[in-house]
Amino acid sequence: MASQLQTRPPRGAGQLQALLLLSLVALCPRPLDAQDPALGYRPLADRILVESSDHWLAWSAATGSRTVDERGIVRPRFLRRETNAIVNAEQDTLLATISMARSGESSAANVLDGDMDTWWEPETDLPIENWGLEIDLGRAVVARRIVLRFADEGRGDPFLKFRVLLSDGLRSPGAQGRLQFVRAGLVTQPNKDQRQFTFDLKTQKKAPGGMEGAVVQFVRIDVLDTDGQHAAEVSAEGYRSLSADERGAIDFVLLTAAGREITVTQAVYDRLTSDEQGPVRYFRRERPRLAEVEVEALGENIVAITQSEKEKAPSQGRFDFLLFRT
């Protein structure tokens, strides 16, 4: 009888043992190879380890307030003012792309590289209607001004006449769905010397009161006129020193009795008397070269950074921006 009493567990002992076992299981760390990034940590025998980017991304933080790199390093996000929207200000990397180049496509991206020694040069043997370029900033920004910088003197020419158009990314109704552009700048007086132009932008659509600038996603530049073969007059010796693709026109001038000058062909010029033969003028060919385009934004698009994807209706598209909703 005593033996039976010693081997028989006390009343309720089975339940107590089960609870104790469950408690021990809950307290023991999982095996080292058992990882669930959604927990935000990895439990070890003697510590809790937070080390990977997946771990840190599982922790709560205000949307857009931090950056986590692939090494698991967490940093606060700094939002910069007065940025060049061509690049990603946070990562200092190129963000804009060339969405259209009607000529000179192979050199078009040079206007985005921040290098004054490279440039976009339209194909001058094509009609001037093909001298156009379009830049996609990759997202909508609020911009104060657009700056165009042409190649330095001796390395190229500014556009003789041109215009700058901008679009906020919205498209016209209909099957074509073309981007809607408004004019931001226009140069109609022949320009031979000015190599930098700054166009201040104004709000084009309904926007919060006091907002400066305009919402921009696309920038288009159209060349309107060219001097072609008559970019600059040079001496006969200077003309001969030019390369074949730099040589422009040779003008043979007829002098009238009234002192007027008329450009004629060489064949006609050769038959003129010495009194009728005017000067022979030599010209360098125009080299229209746009080196850089800058879009000066108010700063980084805080709305795009902090507004989560859940808050965006799918129909509003990739470049949703709160200003479009006003």
Side-chain angles (χ1 to χ4, degrees), residues 5-324:
L5 289 174
Q6 291 176 357
T7 57
R8 181 184 300 170
R11 187 176 182 181
Q15 296 177 351
L16 181 61
Q17 289 174 351
L19 289 174
L20 179 59
L21 179 61
L22 289 173
S23 299
L24 290 173
V25 170
L27 291 173
C28 287
R30 293 178 298 172
L32 295 180
D33 59 349
Q35 299 185 43
D36 182 1
L39 291 176
Y41 59 88
R42 182 157 65 104
L44 302 179
D46 58 346
R47 63 192 183 278
I48 300 296
L49 188 62
V50 180
E51 59 177 351
S52 69
S53 58
D54 289 337
H55 284 164
W56 284 116
L57 290 173
W59 289 71
S60 298
T63 304
S65 64
R66 66 178 174 184
T67 61
V68 183
D69 65 21
E70 63 278 1
R71 297 170 297 171
I73 297 177
V74 186
R75 295 184 178 89
R77 171 177 271 117
F78 295 100
L79 301 175
R80 306 181 187 180
R81 297 183 299 174
E82 300 178 358
T83 59
N84 177 12
I86 296 294
V87 301
N88 182 321
E90 183 178 359
Q91 300 174 2
D92 196 26
T93 56
L94 185 62
L95 187 59
T97 58
I98 301 298
S99 51
M100 181 274 293
R102 292 194 292 269
S103 70
E105 185 175 1
S106 61
S107 63
N110 290 335
V111 303
L112 309 176
D113 62 5
D115 186 353
M116 285 295 294
D117 293 329
T118 63
W119 44 72
W120 168 58
E121 185 171 5
E123 298 171 48
T124 56
D125 57 337
L126 295 178
I128 199 163
E129 291 78 13
N130 295 94
W131 296 18
L133 180 73
E134 185 179 283
I135 300 169
D136 180 0
L137 299 178
R139 76 288 191 206
V141 301
V142 180
R144 286 177 172 169
R145 58 187 63 89
I146 294 177
V147 181
L148 271 62
R149 293 188 172 90
F150 294 95
D152 294 334
E153 187 173 359
R155 310 195 69 183
D157 298 296
F159 298 154
L160 190 70
K161 299 178 183 179
F162 65 95
R163 67 185 174 192
V164 179
L165 307 174
L166 59 87
S167 170
D168 57 16
L170 296 182
R171 296 180 179 272
S172 58
Q176 296 292 332
R178 294 182 178 178
L179 289 170
Q180 301 176 18
F181 283 92
V182 295
R183 193 174 70 197
L186 179 65
V187 175
T188 57
Q189 293 299 317
N191 171 53
K192 304 288 285 186
D193 303 313
Q194 187 172 339
R195 296 179 180 274
Q196 178 172 318
F197 289 83
T198 300
F199 301 102
D200 293 326
L201 305 182
K202 297 180 180 179
T203 303
Q204 302 290 338
K205 296 184 177 181
K206 184 179 179 182
M211 190 192 92
E212 299 179 12
V215 178
V216 182
Q217 183 183 329
F218 293 89
V219 178
R220 197 175 87 198
I221 301 163
D222 295 327
V223 184
L224 304 177
D225 200 2
T226 174
D227 263 342
Q229 303 252 354
H230 294 82
E233 186 173 357
V234 297
S235 65
E237 181 180 354
Y239 186 85
R240 288 190 291 271
S241 68
L242 294 175
S243 62
D245 60 343
E246 291 180 313
R247 292 178 180 176
I250 301 177
D251 287 354
F252 298 90
V253 178
L254 161 67
L255 290 177
T256 68
R260 289 183 57 204
E261 295 187 357
I262 302 174
T263 302
V264 296
T265 65
Q266 184 176 2
V268 171
Y269 185 85
D270 290 340
R271 296 196 298 268
L272 298 176
T273 66
S274 58
D275 291 339
E276 294 174 319
Q277 286 182 337
V280 178
R281 297 194 173 102
Y282 300 85
F283 293 87
R284 174 180 60 78
R285 184 191 298 268
E286 185 182 76
R287 299 167 299 176
R289 292 173 174 174
L290 177 62
E292 287 301 308
V293 177
E294 295 180 7
V295 179
E296 297 184 8
L298 298 183
E300 294 181 79
N301 190 336
I302 301 174
V303 173
I305 293 174
T306 59
Q307 185 182 6
S308 69
E309 291 298 323
K310 303 181 187 177
E311 296 170 328
K312 298 180 181 181
S315 61
Q316 289 174 328
R318 176 182 172 195
F319 301 112
D320 177 48
F321 190 73
L322 284 184
L323 292 177
F324 292 165

